Amino acid sequence: MSKAQISLKRKDILGLETMSAPEMSLILDTAKEMKNIIDRDIKKAPTLRGKSIVNLFFENSTRTRTSFELAGKYLGADVVNISTSSSSVAKGESLRDTLLTVEAMGVDIIVMRHEAEGSAQFAANIAKPVIINAGDGAHEHPTQGLLDMFTIKQYKGKIEGLKVAIVGDILHSRVARSNIWGLMKMGAEVHLAGPQTLLPREIEKIGVKVHRRVEEALDQADVVNVLRIQLERQKKGLFPSAREYARIFGVNAKKLALAKPDALLMHPGPMNRGLEISPEIAYGEQSAIQEQVKNGLAVRMALLFLVLMGGTNIETAN
Amino acid sequence: MKLLIKGGRIINPADNTDEVGDILIEDKVIAAIGQNLSADGAQVIDAAGLVVAPGLIDMHVHLREPGLEAKEDIVSGTRAAAAGGFTTVACMPNTKPVVDNSILVAGIIQRAQTEGVVNVKVIGALSKGLEGKELAEIGDMIQAGAVAISDDGGHLDSTRLLKTGLEYTGMFERPVITHSEDEELAGEGYMHEGSVSAMLGVKGRPAVAEDIAVARDIMLAEYANAPLHIAHVSSKGAVELIRQAKKRGVKVTAEATPHHLTLTDEELKTFNTAFKVNPPLRSAEHVEALIAGLKDGTIDMIATDHAPHAFEEKDVEFRYAPSGFAGLETALAVVLTELYHTGKLTLIEVIEKMSAAPARTFGLPGGVLKVGAPADVTIIDSEYKWTVDCIKFYTRGKHSPFEGRNLRGRSLITIVNGSIIMQNGEVLT
């Protein structure tokens, strides 16, 4: 299929489970062009001038919100942030009413983060603006999945055929789920490892390989993606202590050495250095963690552009 | 008033008969059953090609009255029952206030007699306020007419209280009904734990939570030598535990819902809150085990767990939606479509599970077609094709997992105490 036949125009971006490989390729290719804009002295392109984007965040977020905000602004759109930490129940206004209120103001895109799985789908069912899921509970975080794939492609030249290990708290991770769907569709082999208590039961049924030991997952891996572990999981009794987690499940230089010598190390951030990832490798030679942040911006620019303009030609200005 | 039902296929599981004939109803009771009956001045119903069955009985309904009338009340709930072919429903006590004393039991019975269109039986709470701490006035409630005792709505965490509840209720020869799902294991989940929940990132309610609770409840019933009825069985393990317990002679009975018998957790992939329920819709292997249990008698009866909610309560993010949905107006049609027309159950088995068994188990009038029995009759067109449209429901609960489904079969006429209260889907009173 040629690129011209694929369009994301007016399409809600809810997750990578529902996105096709050609659609993902289109985003990744477009992001490559967008990345050039970020390094320019004057970053503003007029492509999305006159378009408006609302970042509707029901959960705290710094990097994703900032990334979407700058992505919109670099392309000339008007971007408004709405941050509200409470759920619809506590706030008194239902999510439906909040969405319809935002819609009534004539916005083109709603970028939404919400603590409940499926809330992006719910929003898409209700609101007319394009919905971009910036994370719905433990379900999906499609732009993170895309930026991780973009990063892999940047360093490895391809995704197909690579062994990608995802290590840590898979159970609560929307990053893991979007990565799993995206990587599988692009032909990578996905291996998971982490404490048994943080691995979803029966996840192997969707086509990933699950390991009891982190070392097995890392063995000859091309990419190692380490997930953030939240300390509140320890309080819920899902693992005994930060100390034990770091020792058994944390990725350090010794464990990373089991992967291929040129293996790429990734982390979606924010990192707990010394816990799930050791400080010496976090900013070491194999680390692509900083680059992931930059790529996140490029991918989000591409996505905003594609859902609003649909085409593949990027109008750039000096 | 006389009513003569002519030429219907009379199915009566109580004596295992299935033959074409006539039924004469006079003075609220069945006056005669036979061939070529005639009666002067009787209203004649031509039932040729239709099934004539004892009125359907649903032992698991949330009528929501008192206190939760935005979801349902006795008027709307009993009309929904009539529309679905039910002549008797038993209502759960998780209302506001909780039905935990004889005054409320008597009050609901009285209100149902004046406002309701079908027979209403009351289930009293096991613990005061459903708090799971102290026994409610169980004896008082049973003497006021409660047919069973239950803390349904949630799991009874206290093993001690369930033990004493079974012992105490057993004295009155009435069953305790349990919602068996270990709260510590299931409480944080919103759907069945399995490959679908793994994929969706939704916290799971593992089947083992139900298995453990059912095992505990059975052991206590065995210990107390008291009758136990397990509500809405949904797990494979629970079916096997009940099967083994019955073999040992434990006084345990069980029900399954039309939704657990026909739907799987795959339906949750769209995060549609109309599929959110506890226990959750499980995977295909559990559904198969449940149907096998229904077939071999491990599962005694079908009950709806009709749990209506106001539209706006369900119109929220999946996580925040309350569990449960309307069931009365689709139950028979779903069972006929998915279990009878597929060859899994015979018609006589369907009527057994939806009428005769609940009457027998809970000692209720009805569930049988015989001279002198109350004239509670459901006339069924097993071939009638229709499409579910929740907006047209009589219940206030406008969410159903069967919305939009094409179904085959429905009740055409519902007769309660000798009066036609529903005809062709229209409730007449």
Side-chain angles (χ1 to χ4, degrees):
Chain A
M1 203 189 281
S2 76
K3 270 186 226 166
Q5 291 170 283
I6 306 148
S7 173
L8 288 166
K9 195 163 185 179
R10 301 277 324 141
K11 248 188 134 157
D12 297 311
I13 307 297
L14 305 180
L16 298 191
E17 190 201 346
T18 48
M19 193 180 278
S20 69
E23 285 172 332
M24 288 188 259
S25 294
L26 173 64
I27 297 166
L28 300 185
D29 290 349
T30 311
K32 217 168 172 179
E33 298 170 58
M34 291 295 177
K35 204 173 167 186
N36 298 330
I37 299 176
I38 304 169
D39 288 327
R40 281 198 201 139
D41 203 17
I42 294 165
K43 299 170 179 29
K44 208 98 170 166
T47 322
L48 300 185
R49 196 158 58 197
K51 300 289 183 184
S52 56
I53 299 165
V54 166
N55 284 331
L56 183 58
F57 276 57
F58 293 91
E59 255 186 359
N60 289 333
S61 159
T62 308
R63 73 188 57 214
T64 305
R65 206 210 61 221
T66 308
S67 183
F68 268 111
E69 184 175 353
L70 285 175
K73 285 179 171 168
Y74 286 174
L75 292 173
D78 293 310
V79 184
V80 176
N81 294 314
I82 301 174
S83 292
T84 165
S85 58
S86 59
S87 73
S88 64
V89 178
K91 196 162 50 118
E93 185 180 48
S94 72
L95 180 55
R96 171 185 288 273
D97 293 341
T98 305
L99 288 163
L100 292 179
T101 303
V102 173
E103 176 188 303
M105 294 179 190
V107 308
D108 299 288
I109 296 179
I110 297 174
V111 176
M112 192 174 91
R113 167 164 294 186
H114 194 290
E115 73 278 4
E117 298 79 23
S119 51
Q121 174 75 60
F122 179 82
N125 294 346
I126 287 167
K128 284 191 204 82
V130 173
I131 302 294
I132 296 181
N133 181 9
D136 61 331
H139 179 222
E140 284 230 41
H141 190 357
T143 56
Q144 181 73 43
L146 288 164
L147 79 88
D148 287 345
M149 288 195 288
F150 185 89
T151 307
I152 292 169
K153 225 174 159 185
Q154 178 186 330
Y155 288 93
K156 297 288 167 195
K158 60 169 187 175
I159 294 170
E160 195 174 354
L162 297 182
K163 175 178 176 177
V164 180
I166 304 176
V167 181
D169 179 2
I170 314 288
L171 185 65
H172 299 94
S173 177
R174 51 189 168 220
V175 175
R177 285 181 182 79
S178 286
N179 263 278
I180 288 168
W181 290 119
L183 290 165
M184 286 200 316
K185 286 184 189 194
M186 300 300 264
E189 207 181 281
V190 181
H191 294 250
L192 306 179
Q196 184 79 51
T197 48
L198 294 171
L199 286 168
R201 282 174 74 86
E202 300 189 17
I203 194 150
E204 66 283 355
K205 286 190 182 166
I206 68 175
V208 294
K209 186 104 182 64
V210 180
H211 298 274
R212 290 208 155 213
R213 299 180 63 236
V214 173
E215 287 79 0
E216 287 168 14
L218 296 190
D219 182 43
Q220 293 304 305
D222 297 285
V223 178
V224 178
N225 199 345
V226 183
L227 301 174
R228 175 179 171 80
I229 178 79
Q230 291 187 348
L231 287 168
E232 69 223 44
R233 312 289 178 218
Q234 185 268 324
K235 294 200 179 71
K236 286 209 151 182
L238 293 167
F239 63 92
S241 67
R243 191 193 140 274
E244 179 162 318
Y245 188 94
R247 205 173 63 76
I248 298 177
F249 306 101
V251 177
N252 53 23
K254 196 177 153 203
K255 286 201 193 93
L256 188 60
L258 298 168
K260 286 193 181 148
D262 61 346
L264 198 62
L265 178 69
M266 307 208 298
H267 189 295
M271 284 185 282
N272 297 300
R273 269 182 291 150
L275 182 49
E276 72 264 6
I277 190 165
S278 69
E280 80 272 15
I281 60 168
Y283 292 113
E285 268 183 19
Q286 287 170 268
S287 170
I289 296 169
Q290 283 292 96
E291 193 67 11
Q292 280 175 276
V293 177
K294 188 177 193 177
N295 290 343
L297 190 51
V299 161
R300 286 170 185 125
M301 287 168 76
L303 201 56
L304 295 176
F305 170 76
L306 289 169
V307 296
L308 287 179
M309 311 309 283
T312 49
N313 297 319
I314 307 166
E315 190 189 334
T316 53
N318 297 319
Chain B
M1 198 189 111
K2 291 183 203 173
L3 210 54
L4 181 61
I5 305 167
K6 288 212 58 98
R9 178 179 167 189
I10 301 170
I11 296 185
N12 188 25
D15 58 10
N16 200 30
T17 54
D18 178 352
E19 51 200 36
V20 174
D22 304 343
I23 291 182
L24 178 65
I25 291 166
E26 215 175 326
D27 296 331
K28 301 186 176 186
V29 296
I30 294 173
I33 302 176
Q35 303 294 326
N36 303 313
L37 296 181
S38 63
D40 288 342
Q43 181 186 345
V44 176
I45 298 170
D46 177 10
L50 303 174
V51 171
V52 179
L56 305 184
I57 298 173
D58 187 353
M59 289 309 299
H60 199 141
V61 170
H62 296 272
L63 289 179
R64 307 297 194 197
E65 196 178 327
L68 302 167
E69 290 84 355
K71 297 172 191 276
E72 192 82 297
D73 63 15
I74 287 168
V75 175
S76 61
T78 59
R79 285 162 71 85
F86 292 93
T87 55
T88 298
V89 295
C91 61
M92 284 295 176
N94 60 336
T95 49
K96 272 186 183 170
V98 169
V99 181
D100 62 0
N101 62 67
S102 60
I103 306 293
L104 279 168
V105 170
I108 291 170
I109 291 171
Q110 198 190 351
R111 232 184 93 66
Q113 274 164 0
T114 55
E115 306 293 329
V117 299
V118 303
N119 306 305
V120 173
K121 301 295 172 189
V122 179
I123 297 165
L126 188 145
S127 71
K128 284 185 185 128
L130 294 180
E131 284 174 358
K133 290 181 183 138
E134 297 171 26
L135 288 182
E137 291 176 340
I138 290 169
D140 245 16
M141 288 193 287
I142 289 171
Q143 284 173 359
V147 298
I149 295 300
S150 179
D151 264 13
D152 181 66
H155 178 249
L156 183 56
D157 292 333
S158 168
T159 304
R160 176 192 58 78
L161 196 70
L162 181 60
K163 171 185 164 288
T164 54
L166 279 161
E167 288 170 332
Y168 197 83
T169 310
M171 272 192 314
F172 300 93
E173 292 173 340
R174 285 283 164 191
V176 166
I177 304 174
T178 54
H179 174 132
S180 304
E181 251 190 314
D182 184 275
E183 185 65 18
E184 255 196 307
L185 289 181
E188 286 191 345
Y190 311 105
M191 65 176 289
H192 173 64
E193 181 190 76
S195 60
V196 182
S197 70
M199 204 171 89
L200 298 180
V202 173
K203 284 203 182 103
R205 298 175 79 89
V208 71
E210 181 173 339
D211 303 345
I212 286 168
V214 166
R216 178 197 73 164
D217 298 354
I218 285 172
M219 289 172 98
L220 288 174
E222 191 167 14
Y223 167 85
N225 191 25
L228 165 71
H229 178 77
I230 298 170
H232 42 50
V233 174
S234 72
S235 76
K236 188 180 173 178
V239 173
E240 188 51 32
L241 284 160
I242 296 164
R243 186 177 286 131
Q244 296 307 323
K246 284 189 163 183
K247 279 187 193 154
R248 292 200 304 277
V250 181
K251 292 177 188 165
V252 60
T253 54
E255 72 192 30
T257 67
H259 49 274
H260 288 119
L261 286 162
T262 60
L263 300 172
T264 68
D265 57 347
E266 298 279 328
E267 305 281 356
L268 276 304
K269 282 181 178 171
T270 57
F271 294 100
N272 184 343
T273 61
F275 293 92
K276 189 176 176 186
V277 66
N278 290 334
L281 299 177
R282 300 201 187 275
S283 58
E285 60 168 330
H286 294 282
V287 175
E288 282 161 27
L290 208 54
I291 292 170
L294 189 69
K295 189 82 189 166
D296 73 11
T298 302
I299 307 292
D300 299 83
M301 67 192 76
I302 294 171
T304 63
D305 191 10
H306 175 80
H309 294 287
F311 187 84
E312 63 276 14
E313 293 175 300
K314 285 290 253 187
D315 184 32
V316 295
E317 302 89 314
F318 185 79
R319 184 187 289 184
Y320 303 129
S323 296
F325 37 68
L328 286 167
E329 286 161 87
T330 49
L332 176 64
V334 167
V335 170
L336 288 173
T337 307
E338 301 290 339
L339 301 176
Y340 166 62
H341 288 299
T342 54
K344 289 169 186 157
L345 289 186
T346 63
L347 266 180
I348 199 163
E349 285 172 326
V350 169
I351 307 305
E352 157 70 16
K353 302 292 182 187
M354 297 186 78
S355 177
R360 196 171 58 236
T361 305
F362 289 87
L364 308 179
V368 61
L369 295 173
K370 67 173 183 197
V371 174
D376 291 346
V377 179
T378 300
I379 301 178
I380 298 163
D381 181 351
S382 62
E383 298 302 319
Y384 187 90
K385 290 192 171 121
W386 63 290
T387 303
V388 179
D389 182 0
C390 295
I391 298 303
K392 293 184 180 156
F393 282 172
Y394 281 95
T395 172
R396 295 210 175 116
K398 304 297 185 195
H399 281 86
S400 161
F402 301 105
E403 168 72 359
R405 284 266 189 143
N406 296 317
L407 299 178
R408 188 168 153 206
R410 71 157 186 186
S411 56
L412 213 58
I413 293 177
T414 308
I415 299 167
V416 176
N417 292 314
S419 301
I420 299 174
I421 55 158
M422 186 282 283
Q423 196 159 11
N424 298 325
E426 299 281 326
V427 177
L428 305 176
T429 53

